[in-house]
Each structure stands twice: as C-alpha cells, then as structure tokens.
Amino acid sequence: MVAFCRAEDIPHEICGKLVVAVTSDEVPRLDELLRRGTANGLTGLRKLDRGKMKAVEPHVNGVAAAFVPEEGIVDYRQVCDRLAYRVKERGGNIITRAKVKRLDRKAGSWVVRTAAAEFEADFLINSAGLHCDRVAALAGEPRQVRIVPFRGEYFGLKKSAQHLVRNLIYPVPNPQFPFLGVHFTRQIHGGVEAGPNAVLAFSREGYRLSTINLRDLLDALLFPGLLRFLWKYPDMVRTEITQSFSKALFCRALQRLIPDIQPHDLVRGGAGVRAQALTSAGNLVQDFHLVVRENALHILNAPSPAATASLAIGDYVVSQIAA
Ligand SMILES: Cc1cc2nc3c(=O)[nH]c(=O)nc-3n(C[C@H](O)[C@H](O)[C@H](O)COP(=O)(O)OP(=O)(O)OC[C@H]3O[C@@H](n4cnc5c(N)ncnc54)[C@H](O)[C@@H]3O)c2cc1C
C-alpha cells in the first residue's frame, strides 16, 4: 500500500502509532502484541517506558507503550480513485448502482441479475461488504456466518484541542471486549478524529441512529448468534449505547488515554458501519474469512484493517483463483 501511494502520488504519511497500556495489568498483553508484531516481521517495533512514551505523545496517560513506526495515515478516497483509474486503464469496467438481485448458473457460467443490467461471468467474486452474506446466499451458500452491523461513531477534536494528539494513539486490545475501543487518529489533511464506538445498528446501512430497516433488524434479531453475543457482553452493549447518546460519557472513554480532553473539545463527526460477521455461537469472526468454490470466491468477513490490507487481500484472491 505504501509503495502504491508513493507510485501514485497519493497523500500519505508514515507517522507511527502508539499502543498504550494504561494500567500495569495491560502490560503482559502489550508484550504479547510486541512479540507477535516482531514475529510477523514489523521493523522498528519497540517498547517504551512511561518517560519515552510521553516524549512521543506528551498528553497520553499510561504506564508503557508500544511504538509502531511503520503505521501511517492516508487519503483513502484517493486510493480508491486511483485503483478505479488503473482498473479502467487496463480495460476493466466499473458499474455502480447495480445491486445484485439474483445469481443463477447457466452452462458453467454465472448469470448475475442486477438493478442496472444482467451480466454473465465465468467466475464470481463476492466482496459485497455489509451484504456479502446475502449475496453468498443468492449463490447457494449456507448462511453459516451472519453480517451484524455495528455503527462506529466519531467525534472530531476542535482546533484548540488538537495539540493533545500528535499522531495515532490506540489502546491495547482487551480480549474480554469484542471491539478495540475508542482511539485517536490524526487525519492526513489536518484535524484529529476520536472514536469509533461500536453500537448495534438497526440497519445494515444505519449511518444514523434513526435509520431503521425492518428486514435488517429482523435478520439480526432472529439470528441466535446475536442473542448469544448480547448475553456475553451485556455491559459493553449498554456502555456503547449510553456513550452514543452522551458526549460526556464518550469523552470519559477518551480520557482514559488523554485525561486532559474535555467534552467541550469535541464536535460530532461522521460514522461508519462495520460489516462484522458473527458466528451462531455469538463470537465475532476476528480474521478475514474467504470461502473458495470452483467458480466463485466469497469474502464473508473483511474487517479493519482490510482497507490497509486491500492490495494484499487482492493478491491473495487472485492466487486462489489461479489455484
Ligand atoms: C468506522 C470504521 C473505521 C474503519 N477504519 C479502518 C482503518 O483505519 N483501516 C482499515 O484498514 N480499515 C478500516 N475499516 C474497515 C474497512 O473499511 C473495511 O475493512 C473495508 O472497507 C472492507 O472492504 P470490502 O471491499 O470487503 O467492503 P466494502 O468496502 O464495504 O465494499 C463493499 C461494496 O459492495 C457493494 N455492495 C453491497 N451489497 C451489494 C449488492 N447486493 N450488489 C452490489 N454491490 C453491493 C457496496 O456498495 C460496496 O461498494 C473501518 C471500518 C469502519 C466501519
């Protein structure tokens, strides 16, 4: 991705990230992250004591941190624009507003009926994000995992508070909670985002609290995996909902990492919806999940960092098809 951004002149910056252990009981998990990062070939990864951590991010609260120098930020809209440009340049066609409605097999090929037109294809790649499980079902796949939408809401830091964050400040993931927790991200064109939370959405494209889609809601509520998930994490679900309504509570979660931040420093920002696959046992599918068939490949879970890893995932998809 970095090489692509360099070659295509896309604004990006390898600014490094701090992963912060706020309390001493988080240090063993931080050490495990460092061990895994090193095993996975990250370079320059190092553990910082409190003093060194504060030299990197002076306003951060914690006992130790991991510094990940290879992390960065990018203008991702431009990444998408350049990818689209390269596809078209090589003779590819990108057709939008073409919701897939039906998939049929005919003489060894796929007939894809969409809102825009009908297409025939030798091979089908389903990467329909929030609707990937439904598209897979249209192709005859059993719905073993279900996409349950979790909205992630952000606040922005007012200009007067942006000095509190230099680059990227993240918490150590806690295996007792299914999501990472709020963090701070400096943006490539200026500004700092704080978030996201993880609120169960009432619609797969529920970018606002008020967006309700009955089909999506029933689909989620009638899936035993969701009830098991809610049973396992009742406190987290309650906290996330209350934080979504209350700026003061959202701010309190942020203060764990930056105690100086105050509710008046925050302005409501945008939101995204995670296309998160859930198993019927109520567990989030943590890794990328690809199902390969003779004439089709379904990407049934591609959570963060699938944008960062998109080119690598693309290479993998191509290798699977070739195989
Ligand atoms: C709040 C938030 C923050 C994130 N932060 C990061 C980050 O910092 N770094 C990172 O790497 N990743 C991040 N991600 C994750 C990243 O956005 C996803 O992993 C990535 O977008 C997944 O790519 P995808 O191609 O599988 O799905 P998508 O990007 O969702 O693309 C799916 C496409 O399929 C189309 N589609 C859906 N249904 C149909 C249908 N029936 N017919 C036709 N087309 C259809 C959609 O319109 C869409 O264009 C974040 C996600 C969220 C929600």
Side-chain angles (χ1 to χ4, degrees):
M1 181 57 79
V2 176
F4 179 75
C5 292
R6 264 190 213 130
E8 300 286 340
D9 210 15
I10 296 168
H12 69 286
E13 204 186 313
I14 304 303
C15 56
K17 176 205 272 184
L18 214 54
V19 181
V20 180
V22 174
T23 52
S24 51
D25 59 314
E26 291 176 9
V27 173
R29 279 190 266 128
L30 185 75
D31 289 338
E32 172 59 14
L33 278 187
L34 285 156
R35 187 196 65 72
R36 277 200 247 161
T38 307
N40 283 324
L42 299 193
T43 47
L45 191 62
R46 58 185 184 276
K47 188 171 176 180
L48 307 181
D49 62 21
R50 187 176 156 81
K52 287 193 180 126
M53 176 185 82
K54 285 208 157 272
V56 178
E57 291 282 356
H59 297 276
V60 87
N61 168 49
V63 294
F67 183 63
V68 194
E70 290 175 293
E71 289 266 4
I73 53 178
V74 66
D75 182 334
Y76 205 78
R77 179 181 286 261
Q78 283 200 38
V79 171
C80 293
D81 286 345
R82 291 309 290 175
L83 282 172
Y85 174 79
R86 292 287 169 211
V87 167
K88 287 182 200 158
E89 192 189 47
R90 292 177 186 198
N93 220 345
I94 297 176
I95 298 150
T96 56
R97 303 198 177 279
K99 180 178 174 178
V100 174
K101 295 189 159 170
R102 243 187 105 138
L103 291 166
D104 294 301
R105 298 284 286 149
K106 193 175 106 192
S109 11
W110 288 101
V111 179
V112 185
R113 288 176 228 275
T114 78
E118 195 173 296
F119 305 96
E120 221 174 295
D122 295 334
F123 201 96
L124 175 78
I125 302 171
N126 162 19
S127 61
L130 283 160
H131 299 281
C132 62
D133 54 341
R134 288 178 177 160
V135 171
L138 291 178
E141 288 297 320
R143 290 180 85 188
Q144 276 163 351
V145 294
R146 184 80 50 100
I147 293 295
V148 176
F150 286 93
R151 191 175 49 258
E153 298 158 331
Y154 287 92
F155 279 87
L157 261 58
K158 285 187 187 157
K159 236 186 169 66
S160 54
Q162 287 174 9
H163 68 280
L164 296 173
V165 177
R166 284 187 177 162
N167 290 304
L168 308 173
I169 306 174
Y170 280 52
V172 178
N174 184 343
Q176 294 193 325
F177 299 113
F179 294 107
L180 174 64
V182 289
H183 44 267
F184 295 90
T185 311
R186 178 165 66 80
Q187 303 292 291
I188 189 78
H189 297 301
V192 177
E193 271 187 350
N197 56 4
V199 191
L200 189 63
F202 300 137
S203 163
R204 292 205 180 188
E205 279 154 78
Y207 297 100
R208 288 159 190 248
L209 184 71
S210 55
T211 312
I212 300 174
N213 178 305
L214 212 56
R215 181 188 172 199
D216 291 349
L217 192 58
L218 286 177
D219 210 18
L221 292 178
L222 296 177
F223 179 56
L226 178 63
L227 295 179
R228 292 189 179 114
F229 175 86
L230 297 174
W231 184 255
K232 268 190 223 179
Y233 303 107
D235 292 344
M236 186 219 82
V237 172
R238 204 175 317 117
T239 308
E240 293 290 337
I241 291 172
T242 46
Q243 273 174 14
S244 171
F245 282 106
S246 161
K247 192 202 245 191
L249 289 179
F250 198 103
C251 185
R252 202 180 293 165
L254 294 171
Q255 281 170 338
R256 221 178 151 256
L257 288 170
I258 310 254
D260 290 346
I261 208 137
Q262 298 300 323
H264 61 76
D265 294 325
L266 302 172
V267 277
R268 275 208 185 264
V273 184
R274 298 171 180 81
Q276 179 61 57
L278 206 62
T279 66
S280 53
N283 297 318
L284 300 191
V285 180
Q286 294 285 356
D287 209 345
F288 304 141
H289 179 47
L290 281 71
V291 170
V292 188
R293 301 284 179 234
E294 203 185 325
N295 302 81
L297 187 147
H298 301 279
I299 302 174
L300 296 183
N301 194 53
S304 185
T308 309
S310 55
L311 298 178
I313 296 172
D315 279 343
Y316 180 74
V317 166
V318 170
S319 75
Q320 291 297 301
I321 296 169

